[in-house]
Amino acid sequence: MKALIVKQRKDNQKWCINATRIGLSDKEGGFKTRPEAEAEAARMLARFQLGLPSKDDIVTELFSVNDAISVYLEQEKLMQTEPYHQEQIHNLQLLQKIVFEGTAVGKHQMEYLGSKAARISFKNTATRAITAEGQSIDTMERRRKHWGKFLQHAAISGWIDFNPLEKMKLPVKSKVDSRAPRVQKEFVRWLQTAGLTAYTEAYTNSGRTSSGQCKRPRIHPKTLQLMLQLSLTCGCRQGELRAFKWSDYSPNRQMIRVSGAIKHGTQKRGKAKTDQSQDRDIELPSVICQMLDQHRTSTKFTEADHYIFPCDAGTPLRKNDFTDICEPFRLNCPFVDETGKPLRFVWSDLRHAFASNLIDQLGANWAEVSESMGHTNANFTRKQYGHYIVDEEKQQRKREAAAAILA
């Protein structure tokens, strides 16, 4: 169904909604600005399509969190870019799955989450859910931002009395992200040697999952070795790696081009995450080119429009395939973080390793590092990885100061 028409009244210059198509009047509401009217029009249409009451005097106890999220996302879809909207969907799906008082959050009544009886315990549950994932600081902040924004919208819309996550604070982490030890050279070497051996054993069904059962990953160890090496040497994101086609690879120039990425939660090929990432050329070492050439002779997918790393059907690899890839590494990883817990390897660690190596080689040349990473700007790169150089220089100055005493 097309969006409801928004128009400005001549008598009072306020914006109203023509909602006759959903059984209401042609002059619903009186808004000061057009965006406010369009937002309300989207909400009314979404509620109509879900079979929910359109008026503000809805019976909130019949309005579940799942319903509220559906309405919210329909409205946000009209105002956000596609990548950002997909990020909203992903984070709110995680919110729906959290178990609160023995029930998934999505099945709770919307009114209850903002009530005095539940708001504190719900905030504590949401905080624990975010921190238990063990994700980076930025990922944790994205969860908090999207959940809080949704609940703030619910409070403004009258679905709840109070936003329970309004003053939510995440545990303070150290300046250096807990993922930093994973990108050190010792860990990278282990990934390519003993880690790959552990994966090979799992692939041949001698490996065991955390549940004690054999689980054979879908990707051949030789192919995985190339995927590891390529990610380490070009810093591509997981979605970009899955989207590589043979037409992107130029053996004569020893280059590979990021011409797209597989969209989150799908097997569809779209644009890369940022404009700076799209159509960027990455220099490849000769050894990687040799591995790519050998891989092309051993696969049945060799045409220019074929994916370099496809499923058996020729379609892009699924995100779940990367979960299966990482499991044998996680089970056998001898490295621990600063708290003594085993490091939980994720594929994005390879991109962090690439960044660390660039910084080692180029120093604080943030513009060049940013260009290679496909970041939006150099300031973002410096914010993400600047502590590597700052901390190293600071530690060296302390060593020199201590040595001066001996002199």
Side-chain angles (χ1 to χ4, degrees), residues 343-383:
L343 289 174
R344 184 174 174 80
F345 169 64
V346 293
W347 194 263
S348 59
D349 289 338
L350 303 177
R351 181 168 161 83
H352 291 309
F354 172 77
S356 300
N357 184 59
L358 273 184
I359 293 169
D360 285 342
Q361 301 299 319
L362 303 177
N365 189 343
W366 298 118
E368 194 166 345
V369 175
S370 176
E371 181 182 356
S372 297
M373 295 290 290
H375 284 161
T376 303
N377 54 63
N379 286 334
F380 177 82
T381 309
R382 182 174 57 81
K383 180 181 177 182

Side-chain angles (χ1 to χ4, degrees), residues 137-255:
I137 296 174
D138 288 338
T139 299
M140 292 168 64
E141 281 298 321
R142 278 197 294 272
R143 302 272 191 270
R144 185 193 63 79
K145 178 187 72 174
H146 286 293
W147 295 1
K149 185 179 176 183
F150 159 67
L151 289 164
Q152 185 62 29
H153 174 87
I156 293 173
S157 301
W159 303 341
I160 55 177
D161 294 331
F162 180 81
N163 175 6
L165 302 187
E166 186 176 33
K167 297 182 179 179
M168 179 182 185
K169 292 183 179 180
L170 296 173
V172 177
K173 287 192 174 184
S174 60
K175 181 180 178 182
V176 178
D177 196 345
S178 62
R179 308 188 80 82
R182 307 185 191 193
V183 300
Q184 301 309 309
K185 294 178 180 178
E186 295 78 9
F187 179 66
V188 173
R189 279 197 291 268
W190 178 85
L191 283 175
Q192 300 173 78
T193 53
L196 190 60
T197 299
Y199 177 87
T200 304
E201 292 176 356
Y203 184 83
T204 55
N205 288 331
S206 61
R208 298 283 174 177
T209 64
S210 54
S211 61
Q213 299 177 344
C214 287
K215 185 175 183 180
R216 175 170 170 163
R218 297 176 57 184
I219 299 174
H220 192 279
K222 282 288 184 183
T223 304
L224 175 62
Q225 183 181 26
L226 174 55
M227 291 168 60
L228 281 169
Q229 304 281 32
L230 183 59
S231 296
L232 284 168
T233 53
C234 77
C236 59
R237 299 177 178 89
Q238 184 196 109
E240 295 168 352
L241 178 71
R242 294 158 63 197
F244 277 143
K245 293 186 175 183
W246 288 113
S247 57
D248 298 321
Y249 170 53
S250 177
N252 295 331
R253 299 173 58 222
Q254 294 188 335
M255 305 275 278

Side-chain angles (χ1 to χ4, degrees), residues 186-187 190-191 194-195 329-337 340-343:
E186 295 78 9
F187 179 66
W190 178 85
L191 283 175
F329 290 99
R330 293 168 182 164
L331 294 176
N332 295 277
C333 182
F335 293 84
V336 296
D337 60 21
K341 294 181 180 179
L343 289 174

